[in-house]
């Protein structure tokens, strides 16, 4: 039976090609994902080990610039650490944000990982952490050194002036040297600037103090003993660990992050393979139908049902094995391509070998073979039931009425249960509701797949008059062919339906959320510009002062984050500018007046006031973060604004209590609104600082809503694999359908259907099947998109369902185009059949 299985695979190479392609693509996705994440994990683990290779002990404090209460490592403590037995050296570090401008004044790097630190030379005049390719490290106040990647991006050379922004005004420094580094900030697409130690301490902490210390051990010294000796010397709350422990922690964090990426990519690979199941099942169903006599003859000469079934499954196993080999090789190539692509898009990956683990190999081959065998199981079971007497008849085994009734009844029940769970989950809306919704979505999808052969007749019947009226005989025959075998049509359409269900659901949800966020932005903001740090760090007070003096600024209100306590409860508050806050935000007063802010009173949003039992005129005892108390009167209640905290406190009351500046944004309204001149005035007021972002109203809308479109595009790209496999299914079904209908096509040709109309018939059949699958997928996807959005609506202000009719129309047009493209080869093959030869074909 094994030899028979292999012979049958070789005999039907062309007909099994699409199955091989489908499994191959799925395996490539799985193996590529595993190899890619294994390679990344290994590279980052090696980098972590390398970074901490010479570190015996690392000390970390939580001290920040402007925070006088949290202790740091002073010079005396550093000297004590250096003098411990077994210590070869100890290096103090301070760090923070540093943004470098290119020659056009734009920020080099991504903002959040642009870092500045201190150059700390040892006795030999070198800092062992950095390797200089040009020049030397900074040893004077006006010098900096720059990493190689950033220097190349800015086209900077040693001796040139470089504009650098930290947390204050931008300054010019002389570039003293260029170095290479494996620093994580640079690998993440940022930049690294080295300052002289005294300057770095002034910028990031306090003179003479360090935030972190790294200790290197003398030969033969124990890291653990050094750790025990260092700990008693440290200030309160400082943390010390061995280099090995930190390397392990960093490796664990890397693996945790990669695990999420791995899970997401494998989920989309699973979707692609699930779609492939329908293609494989369809292929083997048609092959078995075409080989009814052969299989019946095997039964007649003594093969048992088990042997026939085993032979079909062996064929599937051989096909799966071949596809897995090819797919795995492609997957390794895909992993290499992804690694190169990350480098092209600015993500620097540490050097390291390509890692092909036994897990990746085993998983890829197991998935490929098992999925193929699983998909072929039902056709194999049907093949085993073919009676020996069928060898004497040309009639193929057909599904019984009873089996169709059972299938449709089962599908209807599953679909109804799934739909009920979806509606219940959407109505409930919390975490439990989302679990109900997820389970219901799975059941509904399975139920629709089971029912899809039943749905094919009425849905395609709606299109039959149009096909007959526009395309004549070709259209009529195409519609009849599409519903001739509902199981086959359903299985082919199911693949497209699954892909388009996911694409449509994501689109409906994404567009709805995007418009809700956009509406929230436009409804709540009156400001013309928002100013913030590109790094996400707080703005310096000097920036607020400069903006208020800028030409054309009509109103400027910072968004200062505060966390005072009222009784035993902490409340979120914003320090704002009275009189200006109403000009930069849309604030609807419920009671009282916002002008009371100018009198030293506070404003509270309506929902917070209701939940806490506050009302206009109440006096609230507030304890600020400096432990000082003030009793503040509620002067106004207002409808909540998503860009402000629930409590608004005048900045002249809030500022004295805040030791650290926590101004995340400054909102500006300009005389004359948005204009190039006003934007330039704002930029000039900030000293043309590359680290400060000036965003207009449209930019604000894009900032808050843009990630939705980005996420949608990523989802579309990942789902493309499933849709490609669905297209292969249409090609496969048509090609094999043309093969088994050779006699019929020959007869049609003999009675006058010319080649052009044969092509049109097959092409229209493909379009009908594709559009049927698309209509089912778009309908179910829209329902799921509504349900998921409804479950989230309570936490999304201004939520309203938006159906993206334009996108849905595009999906249907693309589905029709898929049908046309998928039919090119089968239609051409059918039209080229010799009518006499075809008529004689059995």
């Amino acid at each position: 039976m094994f030899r028979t299985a292999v012979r049958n695979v070789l005999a039907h190479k062309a007909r099994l090609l699409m199955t091989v392609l489908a499994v191959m693509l799925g395996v490539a996705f799985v193996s590529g994902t595993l190899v890619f994440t294994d390679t990344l994990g290994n590279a980052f683990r090696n980098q972590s080990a390398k970074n901490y290779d010479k570190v015996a002990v690392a000390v970390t404090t939580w001290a920040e610039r402007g925070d006088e209460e949290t202790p740091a490592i002073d010079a005396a403590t550093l000297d004590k650490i250096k003098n411990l037995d077994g210590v070869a050296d100890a290096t103090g570090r301070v760090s923070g944000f540093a943004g470098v401008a290119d020659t056009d004044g734009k920020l080099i790097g991504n903002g959040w990982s642009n870092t500045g630190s201190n150059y700390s030379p040892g006795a030999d005049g070198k800092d062992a952490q950095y390797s200089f390719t040009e020049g030397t490290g900074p040893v004077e106040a006006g010098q900096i050194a720059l990493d190689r990647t950033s220097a190349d991006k800015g086209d900077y050379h040693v001796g040139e002036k470089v504009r650098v922004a930290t947390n204050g005004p931008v300054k010019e420094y002389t570039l003293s040297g260029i170095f290479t580094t494996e620093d994580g900030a640079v690998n993440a697409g940022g930049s690294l600037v080295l300052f002289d130690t005294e300057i770095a301490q002034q910028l990031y902490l306090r003179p003479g103090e360090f935030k972190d210390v790294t200790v290197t051990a003398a030969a033969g010294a124990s890291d653990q003993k050094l750790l025990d000796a260092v700990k008693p010397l440290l200030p309160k709350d400082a943390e010390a660990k061995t280099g090995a422990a930190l390397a392990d922690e960093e490796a664990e964090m890397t693996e945790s992050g990669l695990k999420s990426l791995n899970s997401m990519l494998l989920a989309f690979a699973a979707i692609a393979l699930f779609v492939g199941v329908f293609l494989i099942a369809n292929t083997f169903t048609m092959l078995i139908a075409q080989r009814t006599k052969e299989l019946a003859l095997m039964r007649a000469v003594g093969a048992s049902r088990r042997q026939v079934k085993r032979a079909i499954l062996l064929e599937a196993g051989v096909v799966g094995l071949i596809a897995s080999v090819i797919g795995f090789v492609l997957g390794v190539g895909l992993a290499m391509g992804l690694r190169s692509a990350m480098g092209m898009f600015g993500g620097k990956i540490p050097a390291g070998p390509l890692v092909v683990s036994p897990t990746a190999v085993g998983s890829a081959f197991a998935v490929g073979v098992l999925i193929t065998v699983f998909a072929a199981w039902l056709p194999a079971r049907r093949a085993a039931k073919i009676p020996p007497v069928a060898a004497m008849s040309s009639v193929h085994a057909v599904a019984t009425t009873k089996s169709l009734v059972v299938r449709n009844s089962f599908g209807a029940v599953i679909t109804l249960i799934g739909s009920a769970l979806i509606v219940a989950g959407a109505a409930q809306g919390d975490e439990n509701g989302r679990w109900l919704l997820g389970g219901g979505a799975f059941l509904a999808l399975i139920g629709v797949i089971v029912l899809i052969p039943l749905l094919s007749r009425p849905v395609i019947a709606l299109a039959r008059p149009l096909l007959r009226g526009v395309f004549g005989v070709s259209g009529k025959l195409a519609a009849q062919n599409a519903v001739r075998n509902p199981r086959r049509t359903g299985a082919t359409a199911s693949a497209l339906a699954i892909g388009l269900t996911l694409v449509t659901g994501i689109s409906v949800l994404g567009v709805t959320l995007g418009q809700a966020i956009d509406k929230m932005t436009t409804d709540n903001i009156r400001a013309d510009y928002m100013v913030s740090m590109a790094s996400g760090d707080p703005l310096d007070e000097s920036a607020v002062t400069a903006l208020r003096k800028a030409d054309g600024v009509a109103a400027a209100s910072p968004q200062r984050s505060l966390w005072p306590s009222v009784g035993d409860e902490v409340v979120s508050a914003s320090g704002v500018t009275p009189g200006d806050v109403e000009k930069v935000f849309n604030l609807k007063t419920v009671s009282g007046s916002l002008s009371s802010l100018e009198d030293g009173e506070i404003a509270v949003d309506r929902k917070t006031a209701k939940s806490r039992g506050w009302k206009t005129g109440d006096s609230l005892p507030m304890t600020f973060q400096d432990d000082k108390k003030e009793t503040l009167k509620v002067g106004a209640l207002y409808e909540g604004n998503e860009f402000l905290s629930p409590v608004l406190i005048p900045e002249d009351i809030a500022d004295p209590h805040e030791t650290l500046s926590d101004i995340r944004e400054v909102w500006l309204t300009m005389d004359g609104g948005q204009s190039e001149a006003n934007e330039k005035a704002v930029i000039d007021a900030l000293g043309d600082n590359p680290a400060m972002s000036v965003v207009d109203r449209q930019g604000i809308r894009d900032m808050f809503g843009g990630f939705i479109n980005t996420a949608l595009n990523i989802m579309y790209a990942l789902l493309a694999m499933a849709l490609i496999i669905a297209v292969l299914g249409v090609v496969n079904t048509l090609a094999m359908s043309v093969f088994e209908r050779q006699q019929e096509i020959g007869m049609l040709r003999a009675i006058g259907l010319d080649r052009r109309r044969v092509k049109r018939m097959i092409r229209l059949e493909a379009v009908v099947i594709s559009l049927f699958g698309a209509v089912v997928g778009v309908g179910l996807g829209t329902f799921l998109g509504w349900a998921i959005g409804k479950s989230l609506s309570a936490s999304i202000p201004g939520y309203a369902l938006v159906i993206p009719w334009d996108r849905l129309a595009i999906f249907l047009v693309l589905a029709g185009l898929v049908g046309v493209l998928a039919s090119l080869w089968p239609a051409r093959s059918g039209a080229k059949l010799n009518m006499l030869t075809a008529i004689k074909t059995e």
Side-chain angles (χ1 to χ4, degrees):
M1 297 306 290
F2 178 76
R3 288 198 300 271
T4 302
V6 174
R7 179 187 60 78
N8 283 328
V9 170
L10 296 176
H12 301 110
K13 294 188 291 291
R15 298 181 224 177
L16 290 168
L17 176 62
M18 297 303 171
T19 295
V20 171
L21 286 174
V23 178
M24 178 190 75
L25 290 174
V27 170
F29 208 147
V30 172
S31 57
T33 295
L34 294 174
V35 171
F36 177 62
T37 51
D38 285 347
T39 299
L40 282 186
N42 181 68
F44 283 113
R45 278 192 298 273
N46 290 341
Q47 182 193 41
S48 298
K50 183 178 178 182
N51 287 343
Y52 293 104
D53 183 41
K54 296 181 180 179
V55 176
V57 176
V59 179
T60 302
T61 70
W62 313 110
E64 297 286 347
R65 181 174 180 264
D67 178 7
E68 300 297 332
E69 296 182 0
T70 305
I73 307 294
D74 57 26
T77 302
L78 182 60
D79 287 339
K80 291 178 182 177
I81 294 173
K82 287 182 179 180
N83 293 326
L84 289 173
D85 290 338
V87 172
D89 195 13
T91 305
R93 301 285 182 192
V94 286
S95 60
F97 170 77
V100 180
D102 62 16
T103 51
D104 295 325
K106 303 297 183 183
L107 182 69
I108 295 174
N110 51 30
W112 58 269
S113 60
N114 288 10
T115 308
S117 187
N118 62 303
Y119 178 71
S120 183
D124 59 356
K126 297 180 180 179
D127 190 328
Q129 192 163 338
Y130 309 104
S131 300
F132 280 80
T133 58
E134 296 180 37
T136 61
V139 291
E140 297 178 7
Q143 293 182 336
I144 61 162
L146 194 58
D147 70 273
R148 175 86 268 172
T149 302
S150 301
D152 290 342
K153 287 179 181 177
D155 195 23
Y156 287 123
H157 302 90
V158 172
E160 293 182 345
K161 295 291 185 181
V162 181
R163 298 177 70 245
V164 180
T166 51
N167 55 352
V170 64
K171 294 181 181 180
E172 277 196 348
Y173 296 87
T174 300
L175 185 61
S176 66
I178 298 171
F179 59 89
T180 59
T181 178
E182 290 296 326
D183 188 275
V186 178
N187 287 334
S191 61
L192 179 59
V193 180
L194 297 181
F195 298 91
D196 173 66
T197 295
E198 290 185 7
I199 296 301
Q201 288 173 331
Q202 293 172 17
L203 290 171
Y204 298 126
L205 194 57
R206 298 181 287 268
E209 294 188 340
F210 299 94
K211 184 176 180 179
D212 307 313
V213 173
T214 55
V215 180
T216 54
S222 165
D223 291 355
Q224 186 59 49
K225 288 182 178 179
L226 285 179
L227 177 65
D228 295 338
V230 166
K231 279 185 175 180
L233 304 178
L234 301 180
K236 181 183 176 183
D237 297 330
E239 185 177 66
K241 294 182 179 180
T242 63
L246 286 173
D248 291 341
E249 285 183 9
E250 196 168 291
E252 286 178 12
M253 289 174 62
T254 300
E255 287 179 6
S256 177
L258 290 174
K259 189 177 293 184
S260 301
L261 173 65
N262 199 33
S263 299
M264 183 185 72
L265 292 176
L266 288 177
F268 284 96
I271 293 169
L273 287 166
F274 184 54
V275 171
V277 166
F278 294 93
L279 188 158
I280 299 164
N282 233 7
T283 300
F284 278 93
T285 298
M286 288 187 287
L287 281 175
I288 288 163
Q290 292 165 12
R291 291 161 49 198
T292 301
K293 279 191 173 184
E294 174 193 328
L295 294 170
L297 189 59
M298 289 174 62
R299 291 292 315 282
V301 297
S304 65
R305 286 187 174 187
R306 180 178 295 179
Q307 286 177 312
V308 171
K309 183 178 178 181
R310 189 182 300 156
I312 301 297
L313 294 179
L314 278 171
E315 288 180 40
V318 171
V319 170
L321 184 62
I322 293 170
S324 297
V325 171
I326 302 171
F328 183 76
V329 173
L330 285 177
V332 173
L334 176 64
M336 296 171 66
L338 285 172
R339 182 172 179 172
S340 300
M342 284 188 68
M344 291 171 60
F345 287 105
K348 187 178 178 183
I349 300 174
L354 191 73
V355 178
V356 182
S357 67
T359 301
V361 178
S363 299
F365 279 85
V367 164
V369 174
L370 291 177
I371 286 291
T372 312
V373 172
F374 170 76
W377 180 81
L378 191 58
R381 185 170 175 269
R382 288 177 186 155
K385 292 182 178 181
I386 295 175
V389 73
M392 298 180 287
S393 171
S394 61
V395 179
H396 295 174
V398 295
T400 63
T401 302
K402 180 181 177 182
S403 70
L404 289 174
V405 170
V406 171
R407 172 176 179 148
N408 293 335
S409 301
F410 176 74
V413 170
I414 293 296
T415 304
L416 287 173
I417 293 173
S419 300
L421 289 175
I422 290 172
V423 172
Q428 187 165 338
D430 55 14
E431 186 175 349
N432 291 333
R434 284 188 276 276
W435 277 107
L436 283 175
L437 203 158
F442 176 76
L443 290 177
L445 185 60
I446 296 299
V448 168
I449 289 170
V450 174
L451 278 177
I452 212 165
L454 176 66
L455 296 173
S456 63
R457 289 187 181 277
V459 173
I460 293 175
L462 296 174
R464 189 175 298 167
L466 176 64
L467 291 170
R468 186 170 56 244
V470 177
F471 300 103
V473 174
S474 296
K476 180 180 179 181
L477 291 172
Q480 290 175 344
N481 289 334
V483 294
R484 175 185 295 182
N485 189 331
R487 288 178 182 271
R488 181 185 303 169
T489 297
T492 305
S494 292
L496 271 174
I498 293 166
L500 282 173
T501 294
L502 297 172
V503 169
T504 302
I506 289 169
S507 297
V508 170
L509 182 62
V511 171
T512 298
L513 294 180
Q515 292 211 11
I517 292 172
D518 188 67
K519 185 176 185 297
M520 178 182 71
T521 305
T522 54
D523 287 355
N524 288 323
I525 295 174
R526 298 177 64 185
D528 295 310
Y529 297 102
M530 180 187 77
V531 178
S532 61
M533 291 290 288
S535 62
D537 291 332
L539 285 158
D540 191 73
E541 294 281 358
S542 61
V544 182
T545 303
L547 288 169
R548 283 180 172 147
K549 295 178 181 178
D551 294 337
V553 173
S557 181
Q559 164 67 296
R560 186 191 301 274
S561 297
L562 307 166
W563 300 94
S565 300
V566 179
D568 295 330
E569 296 185 51
V570 176
V571 297
S572 173
S574 292
V576 297
T577 305
D580 283 2
V581 67
E582 306 101 301
K583 297 176 183 177
V584 297
F585 294 109
N586 284 318
L587 296 175
K588 181 181 177 182
T589 306
V590 176
S591 64
S593 173
L594 289 172
S595 61
S596 62
L597 290 169
E598 299 181 32
D599 300 325
E601 298 178 357
I602 64 174
V604 183
D605 85 36
R606 180 182 58 82
K607 289 183 179 179
T608 300
K610 183 179 179 180
S611 67
R612 294 175 181 260
W614 300 340
K615 59 184 182 298
T616 307
D618 285 354
S619 294
L620 305 179
M622 285 194 173
T623 304
F624 289 86
Q625 287 177 287
D626 60 355
D627 292 331
K628 294 182 180 178
K629 299 181 179 180
E630 290 204 32
T631 300
L632 300 176
K633 184 179 178 181
V634 179
L637 301 183
Y638 66 96
E639 288 292 348
N641 187 299
E642 297 302 316
F643 295 89
L644 287 168
S645 299
V647 178
L648 305 183
I649 301 176
E651 60 184 352
D652 58 345
I653 292 177
D655 288 355
H657 297 290
E658 298 303 312
T659 56
L660 292 174
S661 172
D662 197 9
I663 302 172
R664 298 296 168 175
E665 308 103 18
V666 178
W667 301 85
L668 305 174
T669 299
M670 309 295 292
D671 291 327
Q674 294 176 192
S675 67
E676 289 186 13
N678 278 338
E679 185 170 343
K680 186 175 186 306
V682 173
I683 292 172
D684 289 344
L686 295 170
D688 194 15
N689 192 325
M692 293 187 184
S693 171
V694 179
V695 184
D696 62 16
R697 193 174 298 173
Q698 183 58 49
I700 295 169
R701 294 170 66 182
D702 294 341
M703 181 186 300
F704 288 99
F707 73 93
I708 296 288
N709 289 329
T710 301
L712 278 177
N713 291 333
I714 292 172
M715 294 292 185
Y716 290 157
L718 292 172
L719 287 171
M721 185 71 73
L723 293 175
I724 289 171
I725 293 174
V727 173
L728 292 177
V730 178
V731 176
N732 193 47
T733 298
L734 286 173
M736 299 186 74
S737 179
V738 167
F739 176 82
E740 70 181 28
R741 284 156 45 195
Q742 288 184 63
Q743 189 177 59
E744 175 190 317
I745 294 171
M747 290 294 294
L748 290 171
R749 293 275 286 112
I751 62 176
L753 196 69
D754 59 22
R755 288 184 174 182
R756 181 173 58 85
R757 284 190 288 181
V758 169
K759 281 185 179 180
R760 183 184 298 166
M761 176 187 72
I762 296 170
R763 194 176 297 126
L764 288 173
E765 182 182 348
V767 171
V768 167
I769 293 173
S770 298
L771 284 176
F772 168 56
V775 167
V776 173
V778 166
L780 183 56
T782 302
F783 176 53
L784 290 178
W786 163 81
I788 297 170
K790 182 70 175 175
S791 71
L792 300 171
S793 59
S795 57
I796 303 172
Y799 171 87
L801 177 67
V802 179
I803 298 179
W805 297 109
D806 53 344
R807 297 195 189 197
L808 301 189
I810 290 172
F811 296 158
L812 293 174
V813 170
L814 289 176
L817 182 60
V818 161
V820 172
L821 294 176
S823 68
L824 291 179
W825 172 47
R828 185 169 177 269
S829 300
K832 287 175 65 178
L833 287 174
N834 182 287
M835 67 181 73
L836 295 178
T837 304
I839 289 171
K840 292 189 295 182
T841 302
E842 291 191 12

